């Protein structure tokens, strides 16, 4: 793990977070600055920088991340009302933390399709 990776530090429990789910390969916690009533970050425990670093052997952890999204949506009560799973890649997308993360947002109308 890179010493300076914020999300590796959160996964290790060295920086506190509000944990939503903790599985063998995947960890999920509430975003510190929620943009919606439900805003959870789902990350692989093993450090992966971002989508551009993915390799074929990362397929298993990606499935686990989506499965975690399903479970969290159900436990947050938004599986039926709907939600968004978003992944920023690189500067133009506004990625600020370079440890792969999928954000699950929902609990309100999120607006139509657009660049935001
Ligand atoms: P990005 O900007 O890379 O797509 O997403 C990073 C997300 O991490 C942001 O939504 C930001 O609010 C969240 N974040 C940044 N620092 C912390 C932190 O220390 N704890 C938690 N729980 N979330 C954080
Ligand atoms: Zn990391």
């Amino acid at each position: 793990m890179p010493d300076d990776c914020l999300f590796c530090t959160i996964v290790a429990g060295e920086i506190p977070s509000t944990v939503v789910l903790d599985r063998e390969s995947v960890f999920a916690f509430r975003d510190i600055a929620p943009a919606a009533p439900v805003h959870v970050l789902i990350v692989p425990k093993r450090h992966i920088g971002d989508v551009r670093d993915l390799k074929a052997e990362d397929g298993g952890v990606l499935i686990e991340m989506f499965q975690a999204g399903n479970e969290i949506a159900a436990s947050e009560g938004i599986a039926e009302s709907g939600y968004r799973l978003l992944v920023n890649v690189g500067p133009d997308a506004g990625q600020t933390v370079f440890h792969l993360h999928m954000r699950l947002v929902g609990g309100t109308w999120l607006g139509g399709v657009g660049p935001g």
Side-chain angles (χ1 to χ4, degrees), residues 10-87:
I10 287 177
V11 167
E14 290 161 15
I15 291 177
S17 67
T18 305
V19 181
V20 176
L21 176 143
D22 185 356
R23 290 288 144 76
E24 191 178 339
S25 308
V26 170
F27 192 77
F29 53 100
R30 294 196 193 280
D31 197 290
I32 204 167
V38 176
H39 188 159
V40 174
L41 301 174
I42 302 168
V43 307
K45 285 188 171 174
R46 182 169 56 81
H47 182 85
I48 299 173
D50 67 34
V51 166
R52 297 167 294 189
D53 298 315
L54 285 170
K55 300 189 171 50
E57 58 263 32
D58 297 322
V61 79
L62 289 182
I63 292 285
E64 283 188 44
M65 288 170 70
F66 279 95
Q67 286 171 329
N70 277 343
E71 278 186 48
I72 294 165
S75 61
E76 296 287 323
I78 59 170
E80 298 304 323
S81 55
Y83 53 94
R84 245 175 222 154
L85 297 170
L86 297 163
V87 182

Side-chain angles (χ1 to χ4, degrees), residues 6-7 29-32 41 88 94-97 101 103:
L6 175 63
F7 287 174
F29 53 100
R30 294 196 193 280
D31 197 290
I32 204 167
L41 301 174
N88 285 334
Q95 184 179 7
T96 57
V97 179
H101 51 285
R103 60 181 72 189

Side-chain angles (χ1 to χ4, degrees), residues 2 5 7-8 47-48 98-99:
C5 175
F7 287 174
C8 281
H47 182 85
I48 299 173
F98 287 84
H99 178 129

